[in-house]
Amino acid sequence: MRLLLPTIGLLGATSSVFAAPAAPRAIQKELPDGLPYPSPSELSLIEEAAHGTLPNSPPPPVISNKGITNLKLIAFNELFEVAFFHQLLTNITENIDGYRFVDKGDRDFVTRSLRAILAQEELHAIRANDALIHFDQKPVEPCEYIFPVQDFDTAITLASTFTDVVLGTLQDAVERFALGHDSDLAREIASVIANEGEQQGWFRVMQARIPSELPFATTSDLNFAFTAVQGFTVPGSCPTLDEIPLRTFENLDILTKPKAESQNITFSFEDKTNETEHLLWMTYINQLNLPIVEPLNVISKNGTLVQATALFPYNDYELNGLTIAAVTKSDGPFGDVNSVAKWTLAGPGLIIVD
């Protein structure tokens, strides 16, 4: 099977990769380039690959508790991204089945792009951990990771999905910095949002999608991102997980791939506390709009695993781009995504309609 790379086509060449199935590969804690604590010489090479440097201005002298939580979640997520892009780049450079390019020019462009993205994510992780150390906090250590991808195309799709979530989560981080009067850090995260947006535009074009997804990127909550990243970690392998004061929700899987139309979707989730004895709802977050709440209908329950349906009301709300779904124990009304997180049983479920 040959999968076209539309980005390469825009450069005036025709290219494809061979998409042979491959089992997901576990990544050990050892990250590239000396992370999470590179030497000065390693850091210099990272900055060269990133086409830029760490900010040379020091972190502010004080920080709020909300700000500390932000930094811990950011470091946790960035270490995951470093592991992902390192593994993707390794698969390409080692010509793993599913990551082999027909055209050398295409391969060179993709590897150059991914090397820059990897190095930029390394700097994001280093900066967050350096700030934690500056504030006398324990830095976040890497986990062992497993990525459910089989080839280059599925890897880019996954990268696009988690970058969507990152763009929403950093909105929450900026607001929390603002509420904690951590204005200097809010500016720095706004800079990172711009970088992540550039990456996302490239990932989307690689999938033959327009580069700009939405007029207002779907927002998220730190707790949703914290839960989502844990889905790619080996259980018990995160040495500083308990140091991050955020909630972990039950798993939510979207079983029906929604189309650009209103429809009932099927999903499954874990219910370890018999919450299905009471009414539950499916709540959707899209762009910066008020959360949408729909009744949840249970189909079956096998042990703790519940299968249910709910309406995905695309036509009524133009639910394009990323929609974050959550099974909630209240029907609201919810004023924002953070109030949804407070009532969430299972999530996030990630839906992308494009």
Side-chain angles (χ1 to χ4, degrees):
M1 180 179 179
R2 300 176 68 182
L3 300 181
L4 295 178
L5 300 182
T7 296
I8 307 303
L10 293 177
L11 296 173
T14 300
S15 177
S16 63
V17 293
F18 295 104
R25 299 176 63 186
I27 299 176
Q28 301 304 309
K29 292 182 182 179
E30 289 74 18
L31 297 178
D33 304 320
L35 260 71
Y37 311 111
S39 67
S41 61
E42 288 170 327
L43 177 58
S44 179
L45 291 174
I46 293 170
E47 291 178 326
E48 182 179 350
H51 297 257
T53 66
L54 283 174
N56 58 14
S57 56
V62 295
I63 190 173
S64 66
N65 288 334
K66 289 180 182 290
I68 290 294
T69 301
N70 275 347
L71 290 174
K72 289 182 177 182
L73 185 277
I74 290 167
F76 183 65
N77 176 73
E78 295 293 357
L79 290 170
F80 149 71
E81 291 196 39
V82 168
F84 176 85
F85 288 115
H86 173 58
Q87 184 64 61
L88 176 55
L89 190 58
T90 299
N91 287 346
I92 295 171
T93 57
E94 293 183 358
N95 291 311
I96 301 296
D97 286 349
Y99 301 85
R100 297 175 184 171
F101 285 74
V102 174
D103 185 272
K104 183 179 183 298
D106 297 346
R107 182 178 188 273
D108 289 346
F109 176 77
V110 169
T111 53
R112 282 193 296 116
S113 300
L114 288 172
R115 283 195 183 101
I117 290 171
L118 169 60
Q120 290 160 4
E121 299 300 349
E122 289 176 326
L123 293 184
H124 296 166
I126 293 166
R127 181 67 169 177
N129 262 341
D130 281 353
L132 286 170
I133 294 169
H134 171 83
F135 294 119
D136 296 321
Q137 298 289 317
K138 183 184 295 185
V140 176
E141 299 288 343
C143 311
E144 295 178 8
Y145 306 93
I146 296 179
F147 304 115
V149 297
Q150 294 77 39
D151 49 47
F152 180 81
D153 281 23
T154 56
I156 291 297
T157 299
L158 178 58
S160 179
T161 301
F162 69 63
T163 302
D164 251 344
V165 177
V166 169
L167 287 167
T169 303
L170 292 180
Q171 295 174 44
D172 193 28
V174 168
E175 183 168 299
R176 290 171 187 245
F177 277 138
L179 291 172
H181 304 288
D182 303 316
S183 57
D184 291 343
L185 293 171
R187 179 183 293 271
E188 188 168 313
I189 297 307
S191 176
V192 173
I193 290 173
N195 173 257
E196 297 285 346
E198 291 174 333
Q199 295 179 25
Q200 177 68 326
W202 185 61
F203 298 148
R204 286 178 56 79
V205 172
M206 295 288 274
Q207 301 170 80
R209 293 171 165 168
I210 62 170
S212 56
E213 183 173 71
L214 293 166
F216 299 93
T218 296
T219 193
S220 186
D221 178 277
L222 262 64
N223 295 279
F224 286 139
F226 184 55
T227 300
V229 173
Q230 289 180 69
F232 301 107
T233 64
V234 176
S237 71
C238 301
T240 50
L241 187 68
D242 293 341
E243 302 289 329
I244 304 174
L246 292 169
R247 290 180 59 199
T248 302
F249 303 117
E250 299 293 348
N251 185 57
L252 171 61
D253 288 322
I254 307 297
L255 303 179
T256 304
K257 182 179 180 181
K259 301 175 183 178
E261 61 185 34
S262 294
Q263 64 202 279
N264 286 316
I265 63 171
T266 304
F267 49 92
S268 65
F269 62 95
E270 291 289 335
D271 176 23
K272 298 176 182 176
T273 54
N274 293 321
E275 297 294 339
T276 49
E277 293 182 357
H278 313 284
L279 291 175
L280 295 172
W281 291 266
M282 178 63 91
T283 302
Y284 301 104
I285 299 102
N286 180 268
Q287 301 185 75
L288 295 181
N289 295 320
L290 293 173
I292 303 158
V293 182
E294 295 290 344
L296 180 151
N297 302 301
V298 174
I299 300 172
S300 64
K301 185 174 183 181
N302 184 5
T304 61
L305 184 64
V306 178
Q307 192 169 107
T309 64
L311 177 66
F312 179 68
Y314 173 89
N315 294 340
D316 292 336
Y317 299 97
E318 283 287 328
L319 298 179
N320 292 308
L322 172 67
T323 296
I324 295 175
V327 175
T328 57
K329 295 183 283 186
S330 169
D331 61 350
F334 299 115
D336 55 28
V337 65
N338 303 116
S339 59
V340 173
K342 291 177 182 178
W343 287 95
T344 291
L345 168 64
L350 306 179
I351 299 169
I352 296 178
V353 176
D354 223 352

